[in-house]
Amino acid sequence: MHTSAAANPAYITPLINAFLTVASEIPVLVRTPEMIYNYINVSDDKVEEISISPAEKAYRLGLYNDGYLGSESDLDTYRDRERDINFLSVQNAHLPFGGEVTVPDSPLHNIEMCLPEMNKIHLSYLNTEWDNRVIEKWKNTLYTEACGLDKQYYGKSAFTYIQNRLGYRFVLKNSVLTYSASSEKLNVRLTLQNAGFGNLNRNKRAKLIFTDSTGAAAYIADYGEITVKDELEFNVEHGLESGKYDVYLRIYGEELQSVPLYCVKFANDGLWNDYLKANKIGSFERVSA
């Protein structure tokens, strides 16, 4: 879509519509914002007024940028960088956005310059092998106070920082378990922070897993499909016998032969249980009445 003589509205717009119609549940990514504007039939002077509702097919229409940070226009990706990024900051809030960095002498991928835009545009992914010269630049550049306030990354490479921030990155900030020691009822309230550039663009499934002193699952509460957001709350009647229990939250996409796939691992140290594919969120003791 960047070197073909057929990369014009007469050909691209019908193709976009065909993909959005047939692939009715997944995002469709095109090469430039102009292709999106053409599809929704919005002129340049009306871009700032664009509002696309979830009911419209164009809600799933996003961007793949293979000239990322290569020049002021990202190698002809943008016609008006500030305007187009403002549009994409809204559109990419619910879509994947990424591509390939390029042109090793561009100042736009200097770490102190690119991070604010990566956050604004909700960067989800990048090709780790192209442009390898830019990747090496990031690996040999340190994240410092000039880059931001994440003190735990001071002295680490820009590559590590960017890699850890691509897409969503949930941090458990608070976990409150409310219960009576003699009751089977438990209320769980969690506060999460998304420290990533991007967002979780799909609903997930959730299970609370209660493990006993041996580490075995003593009870599992299945909550089905959930939207992962800043505040999560679960109520459960567990029916457990007296004893001490750890509580884990598994957030996942689906199961294949009883194996959970696409599990969400919180960024906190020490919470992840690889066997359960779940994050530890607390403990409690049950005392039989």
mmCIF file of all heavy atoms in Angstrom, residues 4 15 40 73 99 155 164 171 203 252 286:
data_model
loop_
_atom_site.group_PDB
_atom_site.id
_atom_site.type_symbol
_atom_site.label_atom_id
_atom_site.label_comp_id
_atom_site.label_asym_id
_atom_site.label_seq_id
_atom_site.Cartn_x
_atom_site.Cartn_y
_atom_site.Cartn_z
ATOM 1 N N SER A 4 2.526 0.861 -4.673
ATOM 2 C CA SER A 4 1.720 0.387 -5.789
ATOM 3 C C SER A 4 1.005 1.539 -6.489
ATOM 4 O O SER A 4 0.501 2.471 -5.858
ATOM 5 C CB SER A 4 0.683 -0.624 -5.295
ATOM 6 O OG SER A 4 -0.242 -0.925 -6.324
ATOM 7 N N LEU A 15 -11.549 -2.132 -1.230
ATOM 8 C CA LEU A 15 -10.856 -3.222 -0.535
ATOM 9 C C LEU A 15 -11.041 -3.119 0.975
ATOM 10 O O LEU A 15 -11.265 -4.126 1.653
ATOM 11 C CB LEU A 15 -9.367 -3.204 -0.881
ATOM 12 C CG LEU A 15 -8.969 -3.761 -2.246
ATOM 13 C CD1 LEU A 15 -7.491 -3.502 -2.519
ATOM 14 C CD2 LEU A 15 -9.264 -5.256 -2.344
ATOM 15 N N ILE A 40 -14.152 6.972 5.103
ATOM 16 C CA ILE A 40 -15.317 7.546 5.786
ATOM 17 C C ILE A 40 -15.772 8.854 5.125
ATOM 18 O O ILE A 40 -16.679 9.519 5.626
ATOM 19 C CB ILE A 40 -15.027 7.780 7.286
ATOM 20 C CG1 ILE A 40 -13.862 8.747 7.484
ATOM 21 C CG2 ILE A 40 -14.761 6.452 7.985
ATOM 22 C CD1 ILE A 40 -13.557 9.036 8.950
ATOM 23 N N SER A 73 7.035 13.284 8.395
ATOM 24 C CA SER A 73 5.804 12.680 7.872
ATOM 25 C C SER A 73 5.776 11.166 8.062
ATOM 26 O O SER A 73 4.850 10.510 7.575
ATOM 27 C CB SER A 73 5.665 12.993 6.376
ATOM 28 O OG SER A 73 6.681 12.329 5.630
ATOM 29 N N GLY A 99 4.248 -1.056 13.829
ATOM 30 C CA GLY A 99 4.869 -1.118 12.517
ATOM 31 C C GLY A 99 6.362 -1.324 12.633
ATOM 32 O O GLY A 99 6.827 -2.144 13.422
ATOM 33 N N GLY A 155 18.997 4.162 34.170
ATOM 34 C CA GLY A 155 20.188 3.346 33.959
ATOM 35 C C GLY A 155 19.955 2.126 33.099
ATOM 36 O O GLY A 155 20.916 1.459 32.703
ATOM 37 N N ASN A 164 9.012 -2.997 27.376
ATOM 38 C CA ASN A 164 8.142 -3.257 28.523
ATOM 39 C C ASN A 164 6.865 -2.433 28.495
ATOM 40 O O ASN A 164 5.915 -2.736 29.233
ATOM 41 C CB ASN A 164 8.889 -2.973 29.830
ATOM 42 C CG ASN A 164 9.888 -4.050 30.173
ATOM 43 O OD1 ASN A 164 10.031 -5.039 29.446
ATOM 44 N ND2 ASN A 164 10.589 -3.876 31.268
ATOM 45 N N VAL A 171 -0.549 -3.237 36.313
ATOM 46 C CA VAL A 171 0.087 -3.289 37.629
ATOM 47 C C VAL A 171 -1.025 -3.346 38.671
ATOM 48 O O VAL A 171 -1.952 -2.526 38.639
ATOM 49 C CB VAL A 171 0.975 -2.058 37.868
ATOM 50 C CG1 VAL A 171 1.631 -2.128 39.249
ATOM 51 C CG2 VAL A 171 2.023 -1.921 36.771
ATOM 52 N N ASN A 203 -12.171 -8.243 25.305
ATOM 53 C CA ASN A 203 -12.597 -8.775 26.593
ATOM 54 C C ASN A 203 -11.848 -10.059 26.874
ATOM 55 O O ASN A 203 -11.399 -10.752 25.955
ATOM 56 C CB ASN A 203 -14.101 -9.029 26.603
ATOM 57 C CG ASN A 203 -14.909 -7.750 26.699
ATOM 58 O OD1 ASN A 203 -14.383 -6.701 27.051
ATOM 59 N ND2 ASN A 203 -16.182 -7.827 26.383
ATOM 60 N N TYR A 252 -7.666 -14.571 31.089
ATOM 61 C CA TYR A 252 -7.181 -15.305 29.923
ATOM 62 C C TYR A 252 -8.146 -15.147 28.748
ATOM 63 O O TYR A 252 -9.263 -14.630 28.881
ATOM 64 C CB TYR A 252 -7.002 -16.780 30.269
ATOM 65 C CG TYR A 252 -8.282 -17.499 30.636
ATOM 66 C CD1 TYR A 252 -8.874 -18.394 29.745
ATOM 67 C CD2 TYR A 252 -8.907 -17.291 31.855
ATOM 68 C CE1 TYR A 252 -10.063 -19.054 30.080
ATOM 69 C CE2 TYR A 252 -10.075 -17.951 32.201
ATOM 70 C CZ TYR A 252 -10.647 -18.821 31.303
ATOM 71 O OH TYR A 252 -11.818 -19.466 31.629
ATOM 72 N N ARG A 286 -10.240 -19.365 56.629
ATOM 73 C CA ARG A 286 -11.632 -19.739 56.910
ATOM 74 C C ARG A 286 -11.679 -20.530 58.211
ATOM 75 O O ARG A 286 -10.927 -21.484 58.406
ATOM 76 C CB ARG A 286 -12.169 -20.621 55.743
ATOM 77 C CG ARG A 286 -13.526 -21.255 56.033
ATOM 78 C CD ARG A 286 -14.653 -20.248 55.875
ATOM 79 N NE ARG A 286 -15.863 -20.665 56.535
ATOM 80 C CZ ARG A 286 -16.710 -21.620 56.117
ATOM 81 N NH1 ARG A 286 -16.424 -22.294 55.013
ATOM 82 N NH2 ARG A 286 -17.798 -21.896 56.790
#
